[in-house]
C-alpha cells in the first residue's frame, strides 16, 4: 500500500511553491532551458537565473576562472544580457517550458535594485533573489550585504515595490552572520539564500631555473586571480553560516555551497536549510540536480517518509 | 516560436574505450565507442570528459569518427591528460557532447592547417572533405611527426615526405597522390621542426610558399594562438578567409558560466563571445588576438 502513496517532496518558500527542494544556483545554469541538453530542467524545484542587471554588462577581463583542487575561483564580473533582453528573450522560454524559476538581480545602487524589482513586479515574476554579495564587481553587491543599515534600507525599499517572494542572498564574508540575516528578515525578506562565493585569491609564483631575479620584469612569473571561491572546499563555511543564522531567523533558508551529492544535501537540511541550490557541481555533472531529485524520492520511499517536511524534521540538529 | 529541443541528447554518455595509442612521446590517440556522438559530431566540435580527481571536465576536439566510434588526440600536460593516458581498452569514461559549433563546410578549394594537437579537428575536417570530394590540402605541423593519419602510416609515406624536405615541389606532391592507395583527393603536407618527417622547420618558413602553390579559396586552422594569428595575418595579405578553432580553459563547456569569453569584432563593434558555445570556431579576422 505504501508504494501507492504519492510522495510529497514539495516545499514552500513563502508564496513560492516548489515541487521539490532542489534548485540550481545563479551563474551556473544559464537563464532558462540551457541544460535541457543534459536533463529535464522542468523536473527540479526551480532554477535561479544568471545574475541580471538593469543594463547588459560585459564583465571582467580574462582570466576569469581558476580551477583548484576542491574548488573554483571565478571572476566573471556579472556579464549578463540585462533585464530587458531577459524579459524579451528568456522569460517566454521559461514560461513555455513550465520551468519554475527565480530571477537573480544585482544593482549598483539602491535605485537600480528598486527599478529591477519594479520590472519584475510588472512582469508578474514569482520570485526574486537579491544578489547582495557578488565579490566580483567594483561597486554595489557585496557592500550592500555587509552593512546592516544599508541592507535594511535596500531590502525594505525593494519589498515596497515587489509583492511576490523576495529572497536575499547573503555572503559569508561578514563578521556577524546572524545580525545580517536578522536585518534582512526585519526588512521584509521572505527567505534567505546562502552562501554566495567566498572572496579568494589564487597566486602562482613561477620560479625559473635561473632563479627569480633575471625574470623580475617578466609578468608571467607572477600570475594571480582574485574572485569568488565555490565548490566543495566552501561547504564547511556554508554549513556553519546556515547553522548560525538558523537560530536567529524564522524565514526559510535556501542553502548552498559545495553541494555535489545527496549526502551533502541532507547535511544542509540538518543545519537548517529548507531547500538547496546546486552550483559549481553543475559544471562537472550537468544532470546532478535532476539526479538529486530522484535520489531524494528513492530515499524517502525506502525510509517510509511521506513528506519532505517529515524527513527534514528528523534530520534537524537540535540546538 | 522556439522549437522544442529533445532533452538529454548531449549526455552524460558512459562510453567505452576501444583503444589508446601512443603517437609520440607525449601525444596519444584515444578511440571511444558511442553511436550518438559518432553520428552527430562535426569537425570543430568537442567533447568534455570527466577525469578522476579533478573538479572540472576536460574538453577535447573530436579528431575523427568512424561507424559508431570517435577519436580524440591529446598531449599529456597535466592530471586530466595523464588520467586519459591510463585508460585501457574496455574501460569506460563519462563524456558530454558533442559541444560547440563546428567548421562551416563549403565547397571551396581549401587549405587545412593543424598545428600540434590542433591537428585533431583538422584531421576530422580533412576526412569529411575527402569523403565529400572537396578539394583540399592538409598541412600537419608539429615538433615531431605525429603520424596519426591513416595515410601517414603507409610504410613509404615518411620517406616520400623526406624526399621533398625543405621545399614544396608540386610534381612530387602529385606523385604521392597518384601512388597513394587511400581514396582521398587531398594533398597532405607534413612540417616538423626537427625535419624528422616532411618539410623541416616551422609553419612560418613554409606558409607563403604553400599558399602560393595551393592557391586556396579558404583556410581552416587549429593550433596555438600565435600560430593561428600568424595564419590569419598571412591569409589577409592574400585575401583568403580563415576559420579558426580556439581553445581556453573551460569551467562548464556548455555556455552557462561565461568563463571562456573572448572579444570578437562583429560589424565594427566589439562583443564578448563564449568559446565553448558560440565557438570554438570563429572567423579569423573577427578575433581580437
Amino acid at each position: 500500500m505504501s508504494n501507492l502513496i504519492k510522495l510529497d517532496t514539495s516545499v514552500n518558500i513563502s508564496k513560492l511553491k516548489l515541487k521539490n527542494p532542489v534548485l540550481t544556483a545563479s551563474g551556473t545554469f544559464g537563464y532558462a532551458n540551457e541544460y535541457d541538453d543534459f536533463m529535464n530542467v522542468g523536473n527540479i524545484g526551480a532554477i535561479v537565473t544568471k545574475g541580471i542587471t538593469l543594463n547588459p554588462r560585459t564583465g571582467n577581463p580574462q582570466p576569469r576562472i581558476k580551477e583548484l583542487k576542491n574548488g573554483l575561483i571565478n571572476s566573471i564580473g556579472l556579464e549578463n544580457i540585462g533585464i530587458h533582453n531577459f524579459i524579451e528573450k528568456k522569460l517566454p522560454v521559461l514560461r513555455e517550458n513550465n520551468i519554475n524559476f527565480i530571477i537573480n538581480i544585482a544593482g549598483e545602487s539602491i535605485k537600480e535594485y528598486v527599478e529591477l524589482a519594479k520590472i519584475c513586479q510588472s512582469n508578474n515574476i514569482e520570485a526574486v533573489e537579491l544578489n547582495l554579495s557578488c565579490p566580483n564587481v567594483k561597486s554595489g553587491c557585496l557592500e550592500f550585504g555587509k552593512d546592516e543599515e544599508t541592507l535594511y534600507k535596500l531590502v525594505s525599499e525593494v519589498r515596497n515595490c515587489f509583492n511576490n517572494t523576495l529572497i536575499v542572498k547573503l555572503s559569508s564574508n561578514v563578521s556577524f552572520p546572524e545580525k545580517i540575516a536578522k536585518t534582512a528578515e526585519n526588512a521584509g525578506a521572505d527567505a534567505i539564500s546562502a552562501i554566495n562565493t567566498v572572496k579568494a585569491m589564487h597566486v602562482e609564483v613561477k620560479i625559473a631555473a635561473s632563479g627569480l631575479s633575471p625574470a623580475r620584469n617578466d609578468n608571467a612569473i607572477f600570475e594571480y586571480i582574485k574572485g569568488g571561491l565555490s565548490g566543495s572546499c566552501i561547504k564547511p563555511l556554508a554549513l556553519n553560516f546556515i547553522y548560525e543564522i538558523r537560530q536567529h531567523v524564522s524565514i526559510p533558508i535556501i542553502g548552498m555551497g559545495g553541494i555535489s551529492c545527496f549526502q551533502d544535501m541532507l547535511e544542509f537540511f540538518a543545519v537548517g536549510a529548507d531547500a538547496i541550490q546546486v552550483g559549481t557541481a553543475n559544471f562537472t555533472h550537468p544532470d546532478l540536480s535532476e539526479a538529486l531529485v530522484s535520489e531524494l524520492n528513492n530515499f524517502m520511499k525506502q525510509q517510509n517518509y511521506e513528506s519532505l517536511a517529515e524527513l527534514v524534521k528528523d534530520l534537524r540538529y537540535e540546538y | 516560436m522556439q522549437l522544442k529541443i529533445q532533452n538529454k541528447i548531449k549526455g552524460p554518455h558512459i562510453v567505452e574505450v576501444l583503444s589508446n595509442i601512443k603517437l609520440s612521446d607525449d601525444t596519444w590517440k584515444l578511440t571511444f565507442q558511442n553511436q550518438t556522438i559518432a553520428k552527430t559530431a562535426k569537425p570543430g566540435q568537442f567533447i568534455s570528459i570527466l577525469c578522476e580527481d579533478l573538479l572540472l571536465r576536460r574538453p577535447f576536439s573530436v579528431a575523427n569518427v568512424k561507424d559508431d566510434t570517435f577519436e580524440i588526440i591529446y598531449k599529456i600536460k597535466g592530471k586530466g591528460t595523464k588520467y586519459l593516458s591510463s585508460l585501457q581498452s574496455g574501460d569506460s569514461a563519462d563524456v558530454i557532447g558533442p559541444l560547440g559549433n563546428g567548421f562551416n563546410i563549403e565547397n571551396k578549394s581549401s587549405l587545412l592547417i593543424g598545428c600540434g594537437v590542433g591537428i585533431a579537428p583538422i584531421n576530422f575536417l580533412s576526412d569529411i572533405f575527402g569523403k565529400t570530394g572537396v578539394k583540399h590540402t592538409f598541412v600537419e605541423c608539429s615538433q615531431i611527426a605525429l603520424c596519426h593519419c591513416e595515410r601517414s602510416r603507409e610504410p613509404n609515406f615518411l620517406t616520400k615526405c623526406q624526399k621533398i624536405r625543405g621545399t614544396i615541389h608540386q610534381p612530387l606532391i602529385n606523385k604521392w597522390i597518384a601512388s597513394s592507395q587511400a581514396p582521398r583527393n587531398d594533398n597532405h603536407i607534413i612540417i616538423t621542426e626537427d625535419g624528422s618527417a616532411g618539410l623541416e622547420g616551422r609553419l612560418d618558413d613554409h606558409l607563403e610558399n604553400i599558399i602560393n602553390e595551393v592557391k586556396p579559396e579558404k583556410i581552416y586552422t587549429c593550433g596555438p594562438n600565435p600560430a593561428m594569428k600568424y595564419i590569419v595575418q598571412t591569409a589577409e595579405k592574400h585575401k583568403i578567409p580563415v576559420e579558426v578553432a580556439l581553445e581556453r580553459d573551460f569551467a562548464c563547456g556548455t555556455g552557462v558560466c561565461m568563463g571562456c569569453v573572448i572579444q570578437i569584432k562583429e560589424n565594427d563593434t566589439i562583443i564578448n563571445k563564449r568559446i565553448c558555445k558560440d565557438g570554438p570556431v570563429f572567423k579569423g579576422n573577427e578575433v581580437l588576438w
Side-chain angles (χ1 to χ4, degrees):
Chain A
M1 274 301 281
S2 67
N3 283 344
L4 296 175
I5 297 170
K6 180 139 174 52
L7 293 175
D8 178 13
T9 55
S10 71
V11 58
N12 293 343
I13 306 294
S14 184
K15 281 194 261 178
L16 181 70
K17 297 193 187 323
L18 303 175
K19 61 182 147 198
N20 61 61
V22 181
L23 291 78
T24 51
S26 180
T28 66
F29 216 72
Y31 298 99
N33 62 342
E34 286 88 334
Y35 271 68
D36 267 347
D37 283 346
F38 309 101
M39 57 178 269
N40 290 310
V41 173
N43 284 351
I44 58 172
I47 75 157
V48 184
T49 68
K50 168 84 188 143
I52 296 172
T53 50
L54 198 53
N55 297 309
R57 279 178 64 99
T58 53
N60 291 343
Q62 292 288 352
R64 288 186 170 190
I65 51 165
K66 179 68 197 175
E67 180 189 25
L68 307 174
K69 197 160 188 242
N70 294 307
L72 180 71
I73 295 181
N74 87 78
S75 174
I76 307 299
L78 274 177
E79 173 168 359
N80 77 96
I81 58 175
I83 189 80
H84 300 292
N85 285 323
F86 173 82
I87 300 283
E88 190 193 328
K89 292 168 189 161
K90 304 293 181 179
L91 192 55
V93 179
L94 287 161
R95 290 196 165 140
E96 265 167 39
N97 291 283
N98 279 323
I99 297 168
N100 264 322
F101 63 96
I102 295 167
I103 297 188
N104 181 290
I105 59 171
E108 285 186 18
S109 62
I110 293 183
K111 203 173 145 228
E112 269 191 26
Y113 279 100
V114 167
E115 202 168 330
L116 283 159
K118 280 181 180 164
I119 294 169
C120 291
Q121 182 66 46
S122 66
N123 284 281
N124 275 322
I125 303 299
E126 274 189 277
V128 158
E129 181 179 68
L130 293 184
N131 184 347
L132 302 181
S133 42
C134 177
N136 294 324
V137 291
K138 279 193 182 125
S139 50
C141 277
L142 184 60
E143 299 315 310
F144 293 119
K146 273 180 164 174
D147 158 11
E148 288 157 55
E149 207 176 313
T150 326
L151 178 72
Y152 187 87
K153 190 164 159 25
L154 193 156
V155 174
S156 50
E157 286 197 27
V158 169
R159 175 77 288 172
N160 286 340
C161 57
F162 185 73
N163 300 327
N164 296 331
T165 301
L166 179 62
I167 303 161
V168 176
K169 185 170 182 177
L170 297 178
S171 162
S172 63
N173 288 125
V174 293
S175 305
F176 303 103
E178 67 283 3
K179 284 188 189 169
I180 293 288
K182 191 73 198 161
T183 304
E185 182 177 37
N186 290 344
D190 292 315
I192 282 166
S193 58
I195 58 174
N196 205 326
T197 57
V198 179
K199 276 177 113 172
M201 182 174 185
H202 169 81
V203 183
E204 209 165 309
V205 179
K206 290 179 183 167
I207 301 174
S210 52
L212 282 177
S213 46
R216 200 167 270 167
N217 296 322
D218 179 2
N219 286 331
I221 200 141
F222 184 72
E223 284 180 2
Y224 78 94
I225 175 171
K226 276 171 79 69
L229 179 64
S230 63
S232 59
C233 61
I234 68 163
K235 197 182 75 174
L237 302 179
L239 290 171
N240 180 62
F241 187 91
I242 291 160
Y243 179 71
E244 287 192 6
I245 65 171
R246 178 73 288 171
Q247 300 166 64
H248 294 88
V249 297
S250 55
I251 51 177
I253 298 173
I254 305 171
M256 80 197 89
I259 295 177
S260 63
C261 64
F262 183 63
Q263 183 79 28
D264 290 343
M265 177 162 108
L266 297 186
E267 288 169 17
F268 276 76
F269 289 141
V271 296
D274 300 279
I276 59 102
Q277 292 181 14
V278 177
T280 304
N282 289 318
F283 299 155
T284 320
H285 302 282
D287 57 346
L288 179 68
S289 53
E290 191 184 36
L292 291 181
V293 173
S294 64
E295 279 192 63
L296 176 66
N297 274 284
N298 292 340
F299 182 82
M300 283 171 58
K301 251 181 246 169
Q302 274 169 17
Q303 306 286 326
N304 291 319
Y305 283 107
E306 285 176 19
S307 75
L308 176 69
E310 283 173 44
L311 169 65
V312 170
K313 193 168 159 250
D314 281 359
L315 281 165
R316 276 285 154 82
Y317 187 83
E318 292 298 326
Y319 310 119
Chain B
M1 270 297 281
Q2 170 152 341
L3 285 172
K4 178 78 185 166
I5 302 159
Q6 196 193 339
N7 294 351
K8 300 189 189 192
I9 48 168
K10 296 194 171 167
H13 309 284
I14 302 301
V15 304
E16 190 191 334
V17 174
L18 291 184
S19 66
N20 199 2
I21 302 166
K22 199 170 181 176
L23 300 175
S24 75
D25 279 352
D26 58 359
T27 307
W28 296 59
K29 182 173 88 173
L30 189 47
T31 307
F32 294 109
Q33 167 108 37
N34 181 270
Q35 197 181 30
T36 315
I37 295 175
K39 297 286 184 220
T40 56
K42 298 188 191 93
Q45 286 191 303
F46 65 95
I47 50 109
S48 203
I49 309 181
L50 188 66
C51 297
E52 211 172 66
D53 294 331
L54 283 175
L55 172 67
L56 300 176
R57 287 172 182 265
R58 294 294 186 267
F60 298 91
S61 288
V62 177
N64 215 340
V65 299
K66 197 182 173 192
D67 303 325
D68 289 348
T69 70
F70 68 95
E71 304 170 357
I72 61 164
I73 293 171
Y74 62 96
K75 186 172 181 168
I76 301 182
K77 282 182 111 175
K79 283 181 193 162
T81 43
K82 192 146 195 196
Y83 158 75
L84 290 188
S85 71
S86 75
L87 292 175
Q88 292 176 354
S89 170
D91 288 348
S92 59
D94 178 327
V95 170
I96 57 171
L99 302 172
N101 299 304
F103 291 108
N104 297 298
I105 294 173
E106 291 178 274
N107 192 4
K108 284 182 175 171
S109 162
S110 298
L111 181 63
L112 318 185
I113 309 172
C115 302
V117 283
I119 285 166
I122 299 299
N123 177 57
F124 187 9
L125 184 62
S126 162
D127 224 57
I128 297 285
F129 278 179
K131 282 176 188 150
T132 51
V134 177
K135 192 177 171 222
H136 67 288
T137 301
F138 178 10
V139 179
E140 178 178 337
C141 263
S142 51
Q143 280 177 315
I144 55 164
L146 286 177
C147 313
H148 67 275
C149 296
E150 296 304 324
R151 190 198 262 186
S152 56
R153 288 252 175 68
E154 289 167 28
N156 296 325
F157 184 69
L158 292 185
T159 334
K160 285 177 201 159
C161 294
Q162 275 161 350
K163 279 184 191 156
I164 60 151
R165 178 190 297 178
T167 174
I168 296 285
H169 197 280
Q170 194 59 37
L172 261 181
I173 294 175
N174 292 339
K175 261 190 204 167
W176 311 342
I177 299 162
S179 67
S180 170
Q181 301 291 314
R184 285 161 59 153
N185 61 349
D186 61 320
N187 294 336
H188 188 158
I189 299 167
I190 290 183
I191 302 173
T192 53
E193 271 188 40
D194 61 357
S196 57
L199 304 171
E200 184 176 345
R202 290 152 50 108
L203 182 66
D204 45 358
D205 298 325
H206 303 288
L207 186 60
E208 286 278 2
N209 283 342
I210 294 173
I211 288 175
N212 289 329
E213 198 72 51
V214 175
K215 298 193 172 51
E217 295 171 277
K218 187 165 177 184
I219 296 177
Y220 298 86
T221 182
C222 183
N225 275 2
M228 289 194 286
K229 185 180 173 184
Y230 169 73
I231 291 165
V232 170
Q233 285 170 345
T234 310
E236 238 160 45
K237 284 190 273 177
H238 296 265
K239 300 200 165 38
I240 304 165
V242 184
E243 281 191 23
V244 297
L246 303 181
E247 70 162 0
R248 174 165 274 162
D249 288 350
F250 296 154
C252 69
T254 61
V256 300
C257 78
M258 314 306 285
C260 66
V261 300
I262 46 151
Q263 291 190 312
I264 292 284
K265 196 174 155 193
E266 214 177 58
N267 306 325
D268 286 332
T269 49
I270 293 167
I271 52 167
N272 282 351
K273 292 248 181 174
R274 299 160 298 182
I275 292 180
C276 70
K277 185 79 176 180
D278 304 313
V281 173
F282 293 95
K283 289 177 182 165
N285 61 347
E286 291 184 351
V287 177
L288 296 183
W289 296 97

